[in-house]
Amino acid sequence: MATSSSDSFFIATPIFYVNDVPHIGHAYTEVAADALSRWMRQSGIPTWFLTGTDEHGQKIMRTALANGVTPREWADRLVEQSWKPLLKTLDLANDDFIRTTEERHESAVKKFLTLLHDKGFIYQGEYEGFYCVGCEEYKPLADLEDGAGEFEGSKLCPVHSRPVEVLKEENYFFKMSTFQQDLLDLYAAQPDFIQPTSVRNEIIAFVNRGLDDLSISRSNIDWGIEVPFDSEHVTYVWFEALLNYITATGWGSDDEAFAKKWPAVQLVGKDIARFHAVIWPAMLMAAGLQPPKKVFAHGWLLVGGEKMSKSKLTGIAPTEITDVFGSDAFRYYFLRAITFGSDGSFSWEDLSARYESDLANGLGNLASRVIAMVHRYRGGVVPALPSPTPADRAIAATMKDAVAAADAAMHAFAPHEALGELWRIVEDVNGYITEQEPWVMAKDDAHAARLDAVLYTSLDALRSLAVTLSPFMPQATSKLWEALGASHSLGPLAEQHIPEAGSFGVLPEGSAISELAALFPRIEQDS
């Protein structure tokens, strides 16, 4: 029986523009999508995670020319040397990677354009406006800033702080204005269609001001997908790039695959929310297709109070962090330290402090001391659990409550809250061990049964943490799972059902555990 898309979880990141190498702002989006998709997949929900690259447009054509190569050569180089390696750097478990230069994309884009043209939603006309090459977008005058200094007398793009160009072209237009009321009806019928609320309010205000038709072709460049009904034009890069979410999903070539996966949750940065919450659903409505399930616009990463930017040279390469702290710490930090949906400031000092307090001294120390005590006091074998005391039951209650709360938080797209809930287990078990003093019990055989209970309770809490933290920190949790012997006694970590991970008494007694190297080794700080 085919799976209904209402019972599945399809999450897509924006496809990233290959005019330059990725920075941690791009990586933040990727890691959030990956953690959400891993969580849903381990919750038994059919899941599909899409990412990829956007490779057409004027900016890439100019960048390639400046570097003495063709646009295709430039795109191939950046994808293979920088963007695809990012998947490994961040431990991403994406199901597909779409490139807009792939034939499957280009052919489906042409089908989509033909469909809209045949339905009367595309017409030819003349357009004059302010164009930002960096954004690959026409800008309303109200959005522009007045230039000063060397840019005196010019209008500047607020994103790039560079002068916009005045373009006058004979283009094809999409009748986006037709869908103004349909969009407002969509937002009203689905209050959570756009999140967070601040972005939702901004989008609704924008649409209420009135929508213009959208210029969707260019005749002054040739690096793009040819308009199927006019070889003199190529498709506007944003219009065809948005289509990747359905061209990768099977639209136009595999109706069954498309029906299983669509609609998608669109995870985007807030600066491109309008494209995804206004233009994109209007395009789909015109084609008679279902709009996305949700558009979630996360905030910006700020460095020194400014949004990270390639053009302003404020971008930080993900490997600058992962080479020192590892991919798990990267993933944990950005998903815990920043309220998802709001802007967040990155600093090396905060990253170092959280690595030491939360990971090395928190989770890492807890795992090391429990595994070491089981080896020291019980020969590396999981002891039996005698009748639990109120202290043991309190840990069991924390596990149950924290996992349930974390599950609710992930379904609400709040990974920062989910991690906060799961860290209650880390903190409570660390406190429990300090209070119970198993090292004292070990000196007196009369306390053997009580020692068994403390060790078992601590081990089972680690089992719960390994399962629930695996979407966030796949490497460390895999090592912990192996050390607990759980892969032999319970099966592969990836097959553990997250909603049940808060149950107590799951780790089988009598199973052997192995040694555990430090999950988060101390990092020598430069003086």
Side-chain angles (χ1 to χ4, degrees):
M1 181 174 169
T3 303
S4 165
S5 61
S6 62
D7 302 323
S8 61
F9 182 75
F10 167 23
I11 189 166
T13 70
I15 49 173
F16 299 105
Y17 213 43
V18 296
N19 64 307
D20 208 341
V21 297
H23 58 57
I24 59 173
H26 306 110
Y28 176 47
T29 311
E30 294 275 36
V31 163
D34 186 66
L36 287 163
S37 64
R38 285 175 182 265
W39 187 281
M40 302 305 171
R41 190 177 288 115
Q42 274 195 245
S43 297
I45 300 169
T47 298
W48 204 62
F49 167 25
L50 173 69
T51 190
T53 46
D54 181 3
E55 302 177 22
H56 291 126
Q58 195 168 28
K59 184 163 53 173
I60 288 174
M61 188 174 74
R62 290 184 181 182
T63 302
L65 184 64
N67 284 273
V69 294
T70 66
R72 182 59 192 247
E73 287 170 336
W74 177 261
D76 287 347
R77 178 192 303 175
L78 264 289
V79 169
E80 295 303 325
Q81 295 181 5
S82 299
W83 288 95
K84 282 189 175 179
L86 182 67
L87 308 177
K88 185 175 182 181
T89 297
L90 302 175
D91 285 318
L92 301 182
N94 56 299
D95 295 285
D96 198 356
F97 186 96
I98 181 79
R99 297 182 60 182
T100 56
T101 50
E102 292 179 51
E103 196 280 331
R104 62 171 171 161
H105 177 72
E106 294 196 12
S107 60
V109 166
K110 291 179 179 180
K111 285 183 181 179
F112 191 91
L113 284 165
T114 301
L115 173 64
L116 263 57
H117 186 257
D118 291 349
K119 293 179 74 171
F121 289 120
I122 292 177
Y123 66 93
Q124 195 165 18
E126 190 171 84
Y127 190 82
E128 182 174 8
F130 300 101
Y131 192 76
C132 172
V133 175
C135 293
E136 294 279 12
E137 177 187 9
Y138 278 106
K139 298 284 185 180
L141 181 60
D143 288 356
L144 301 179
E145 298 173 349
D146 291 325
E150 65 174 311
F151 300 134
E152 184 75 37
S154 299
K155 293 293 185 181
L156 307 184
C157 167
V159 177
H160 294 91
S161 300
R162 303 286 299 178
V164 293
E165 300 177 10
V166 178
L167 295 183
K168 184 174 183 180
E169 293 183 298
E170 184 82 14
N171 292 336
Y172 284 92
F173 288 79
F174 166 53
K175 291 183 179 179
M176 190 164 69
S177 59
T178 304
F179 298 95
Q180 179 174 337
Q181 191 57 50
D182 292 321
L183 290 168
L184 293 172
D185 291 346
L186 170 64
Y187 307 153
Q190 297 182 40
D192 65 345
F193 176 72
I194 306 169
Q195 292 183 308
T197 303
S198 57
V199 177
R200 168 183 160 79
N201 292 340
E202 179 188 313
I203 294 294
I204 291 175
F206 172 76
V207 176
N208 269 320
R209 288 198 297 268
L211 293 179
D212 295 325
D213 290 345
L214 180 70
S215 170
I216 63 162
S217 74
R218 299 288 179 267
S219 57
N220 62 340
I221 65 170
D222 58 7
W223 179 236
I225 297 176
E226 185 180 293
V227 172
F229 39 84
D230 191 336
S231 60
E232 296 297 314
H233 289 252
V234 298
T235 312
Y236 170 43
V237 62
W238 259 111
F239 193 86
E240 61 103 338
L242 287 166
L243 288 164
N244 89 89
Y245 308 120
I246 62 170
T247 64
T249 317
W251 183 85
S253 60
D254 189 336
D255 292 342
E256 185 178 353
F258 178 68
K260 281 183 180 180
K261 298 184 180 79
W262 190 257
V265 170
Q266 310 281 176
L267 183 60
V268 302
K270 66 180 183 180
D271 51 333
I272 55 173
R274 281 187 196 175
F275 291 98
H276 290 82
V278 180
I279 299 174
W280 179 222
M283 292 165 58
L284 292 164
M285 289 172 177
L289 299 174
Q290 190 175 348
K293 189 175 291 184
K294 185 195 299 285
V295 177
F296 192 102
H298 66 71
W300 289 337
L301 287 188
L302 307 177
V303 177
E306 282 197 14
K307 177 180 181 284
M308 205 163 308
S309 166
K310 290 181 285 191
S311 59
K312 294 181 181 179
L313 302 180
T314 54
I316 298 170
T319 51
E320 291 183 58
I321 296 174
T322 58
D323 286 351
V324 177
F325 294 93
S327 61
D328 281 349
F330 182 105
R331 294 167 63 103
Y332 172 80
Y333 173 76
F334 285 107
L335 296 180
R336 176 77 191 275
I338 298 168
T339 298
F340 201 59
S342 301
D343 292 348
S345 294
F346 167 79
S347 76
W348 290 100
E349 293 77 13
D350 188 37
L351 171 60
S352 297
R354 284 184 179 268
Y355 180 90
E356 186 173 346
S357 64
D358 296 5
L359 298 180
N361 293 339
L363 176 62
N365 185 54
L366 172 63
S368 294
R369 68 197 297 212
V370 171
I371 295 292
M373 285 190 293
V374 175
H375 278 288
R376 186 178 306 124
Y377 305 139
R378 292 296 179 262
V381 174
V382 177
L385 174 64
S387 298
T389 67
D392 308 331
R393 286 195 287 269
I395 295 299
T398 296
M399 289 164 55
K400 180 181 179 181
D401 293 347
V403 171
D407 190 42
M410 289 299 277
H411 282 271
F413 287 68
H416 57 291
E417 291 183 9
L419 281 167
E421 292 291 345
L422 296 175
W423 236 253
R424 288 170 46 205
I425 303 174
V426 175
E427 292 161 356
D428 284 10
V429 177
N430 265 321
Y432 164 82
I433 292 171
T434 299
E435 291 171 3
Q436 298 298 315
E437 298 182 316
W439 48 89
V440 175
M441 297 177 191
K443 297 175 181 177
D444 186 345
D445 287 345
H447 299 304
R450 183 72 203 121
L451 177 58
D452 284 347
V454 171
L455 293 177
Y456 182 87
T457 298
S458 302
L459 284 169
D460 202 50
L462 287 176
R463 185 266 318 157
S464 178
L465 285 167
V467 174
T468 53
L469 290 176
S470 62
F472 303 99
M473 297 180 283
Q475 290 193 14
T477 51
S478 178
K479 293 173 184 174
L480 178 57
W481 192 250
E482 290 302 315
L484 292 170
S487 59
H488 298 294
S489 59
L490 295 174
L493 178 57
E495 295 178 9
Q496 306 307 305
H497 197 236
I498 282 179
E500 298 169 3
S503 301
F504 183 64
V506 174
L507 194 65
E509 63 181 73
S511 54
I513 66 171
S514 56
E515 300 288 346
L516 178 67
L519 294 178
F520 302 99
R522 304 288 175 185
I523 293 173
E524 295 298 325
Q525 302 291 334
D526 294 333
S527 56

